[in-house]
Amino acid sequence: MLRPKLPDIPTLPTTPVVPQQTQAPVPGTSRSLTPYAGAVAAVVVVGIVLTALLAAVAVTAVSVAIAAVVLRSLVNDVHKR
């Protein structure tokens, strides 16, 4: 009774479409940024290492301070008795 109508299959064009290739002009006097890549990487690495060392010193200082408070508390308890 009612049948769905299927869409027609589109046919592909017979002529191939070739995109135009354009080349950007090469500037003759521009300097490359690659000489600075090593310096930038060195600065980043030194920054990361110094940050890690600072964090390690901070964690060590906090743990030494906690240990000192605990030991002081234990020594004071022994002297009070």
Side-chain angles (χ1 to χ4, degrees), residues 9-75:
I9 299 174
T11 58
L12 296 175
T14 56
T15 58
V17 178
V18 178
Q20 293 181 349
Q21 296 179 354
T22 59
Q23 293 181 347
V26 178
T29 59
S30 70
R31 293 189 333 181
S32 176
L33 294 178
T34 49
Y36 300 115
V40 170
V43 168
V44 169
V45 168
V46 168
I48 290 171
V49 168
L50 289 178
T51 304
L53 286 174
L54 181 64
V57 168
V59 168
T60 304
V62 168
S63 64
V64 167
I66 291 172
V69 168
V70 169
L71 285 175
R72 184 176 176 186
S73 174
L74 290 174
V75 169

